[in-house]
Amino acid sequence: MKKILMITTGGTIACIQSDNGLVPKMSSCDIINLMPELKDICTIDTIEIMNIDSSNLSPHHWIIMLDTIEKNYNDYDGFVITHGTDTMAYSSSMLACAIKNLAKPIVFTGSQLPIKAEGTDACRNVYDAFLAACSDNCGVFLAFNGLIHKGDCTKKVYSENFTGFLSINQETAGTSDNGKIIWNTLNKKPESKVVFYKDISEKVFVLKMIPSLKPEIIDVLVNIGYRAVIIEGCGAGGVPTEECENNFMPTIKKAIEKGVAIVCATQCLYDGVHLDKYPAGIMAEKYGAISCKNITLEKALVKLMIGLGNNMNIKELKEYIEND
């Protein structure tokens, strides 16, 4: 039997009702004791590294997760991380990008209802996560509602529906079927030694483009010390140009000249960024803007944090993001 470490971090799955609503209070042992059927598929150890509402997640929590996996890496065949759904796509993207040459499965999961709630989706999700963690498929994954997603292309798209997450611009990694995981993709074990990247910069800002937004906001962000700005543009990644009273091009050009990375994302879920399609994108790219292409905002954010934490310049960041 495989030996799996379950790492708990809180979230809805660990919540109980209080006078102030749902709060994460259940321990890792509490959760595992509610699912005795897991003992039939693997040997399990548990560790609770935090017990928070995932909306309170900060980058230092990612370092705790990475440290925990690194310290226990050689002692286990796989890892299950229970996590709040609100920021789970950020955490799964971070671990997928921050661990190079991963030769074991790390599977995130959570639930839309607490594990003790009537009709909860928690037990199914946890069981599927353990099935995936017991496989020989290497990588970071997210198990939810019978689907196994690649950890670096997921997005939470429902606040209550049990579907919860979707894979964006990629097919799902696998599905759960009668106690088995049917994988669509299999990752071979890398020959090189695993590496953990834990130098992370928080100086990344996400700016949502709306019709009333003024270009000066980028000057403000640069002046207060941000080293990268992700602009969630319209459609294929567009921003207002010289044809509009709120022309963003001069401030984008100025920011890049100061060494600040400007990264073009899209507010659309699917099909990605295409800077070669319209004058705004062509001009932004000419000035040195970086395209998110088909990756999610969550992945772009964590890659910028890792890149800046490892002292990448704009040219290096462009290659790191665009040649994903």
Side-chain angles (χ1 to χ4, degrees):
M1 296 178 76
K2 295 288 184 74
K3 187 177 181 182
I4 306 299
L5 179 63
M6 184 176 83
I7 302 167
T8 60
T9 67
T12 295
I13 192 170
C15 278
I16 61 173
Q17 191 66 48
S18 75
D19 293 339
N20 296 315
L22 292 172
V23 292
K25 292 289 187 180
M26 295 183 66
S27 70
S28 56
C29 291
D30 291 335
I31 293 172
I32 210 71
N33 287 337
L34 291 172
M35 297 189 62
E37 64 272 24
L38 291 173
K39 296 178 181 179
D40 295 331
I41 62 173
C42 60
T43 300
I44 302 170
D45 289 332
T46 65
I47 182 171
E48 180 181 309
I49 58 173
M50 63 194 81
N51 209 348
I52 63 171
D53 182 320
S54 74
S55 61
N56 293 325
L57 185 84
S58 294
H60 80 269
H61 293 116
W62 290 328
I63 303 303
I64 296 173
M65 294 180 203
L66 288 165
D67 279 338
T68 302
I69 292 173
E70 184 176 24
K71 290 174 183 176
N72 292 280
Y73 187 79
N74 294 325
D75 297 326
Y76 293 92
D77 299 302
F79 301 86
V80 169
I81 302 177
T82 59
H83 196 292
T85 59
D86 287 349
T87 54
M88 184 155 44
Y90 288 97
S91 293
S92 63
S93 292
M94 173 56 76
L95 265 62
C97 295
I99 305 175
K100 186 178 180 180
N101 302 323
L102 178 61
K104 301 177 181 183
I106 299 172
V107 189
F108 281 83
T109 196
S111 60
Q112 300 284 44
L113 292 176
I115 194 167
K116 282 191 172 182
E118 183 178 356
T120 184
D121 56 329
C123 294
R124 179 189 186 185
N125 292 342
V126 171
Y127 192 81
D128 287 348
F130 271 93
L131 287 176
C134 288
S135 75
D136 294 323
N137 205 359
C138 306
V140 177
F141 304 99
L142 191 156
F144 220 85
N145 197 43
L147 298 176
I148 312 297
H149 304 279
K150 298 174 186 176
D152 62 352
C153 70
T154 62
K155 185 179 287 289
K156 185 178 181 183
V157 294
Y158 294 98
S159 60
E160 293 187 336
N161 187 289
F162 282 177
T163 299
F165 294 82
L166 293 177
S167 293
I168 306 301
N169 294 323
Q170 293 192 41
E171 68 173 352
T172 55
T175 56
S176 170
D177 184 25
N178 291 322
K180 295 182 179 180
I181 302 298
I182 309 301
W183 292 103
N184 296 322
T185 56
L186 290 172
N187 301 317
K188 295 181 180 179
K189 288 187 178 182
E191 296 180 1
S192 301
K193 184 179 178 180
V194 65
V195 180
F196 293 81
Y197 292 95
K198 290 181 283 187
D199 292 322
I200 298 171
S201 170
E202 298 185 28
K203 296 295 185 179
V204 183
F205 193 89
V206 178
L207 182 67
K208 193 179 187 73
M209 187 62 61
I210 58 174
S212 62
L213 196 65
K214 304 301 181 185
E216 292 76 20
I217 187 63
I218 293 182
D219 294 330
V220 172
L221 295 172
V222 172
N223 290 337
I224 61 176
Y226 280 99
R227 298 171 59 199
V229 179
I230 302 175
I231 301 177
E232 267 196 294
C234 307
V239 297
T241 62
E242 68 273 4
E243 298 176 1
C244 173
E245 60 187 28
N246 293 330
N247 182 7
F248 270 75
M249 289 304 152
T251 53
I252 286 175
K253 184 175 183 290
K254 183 165 60 173
I256 294 171
E257 289 173 346
K258 289 184 176 181
V260 175
I262 299 296
V263 182
C264 297
T266 174
Q267 296 170 28
C268 300
L269 274 181
Y270 296 104
D271 296 335
V273 174
H274 302 276
L275 295 184
D276 59 349
K277 195 170 185 178
Y278 298 103
I282 293 171
M283 192 177 302
E285 198 164 35
K286 180 181 177 181
Y287 292 151
I290 299 167
S291 172
C292 279
K293 295 194 173 179
N294 281 336
I295 68 174
T296 62
L297 173 70
E298 290 86 347
K299 185 172 184 178
L301 175 72
V302 302
K303 291 196 83 170
L304 282 168
M305 287 180 165
I306 294 169
L308 291 172
N310 287 275
N311 299 313
M312 291 186 188
N313 58 35
I314 292 180
K315 182 179 179 180
E316 292 167 330
L317 285 171
K318 182 178 178 66
E319 183 175 353
Y320 182 45
I321 299 292
E322 294 188 351
N323 296 332
D324 185 69

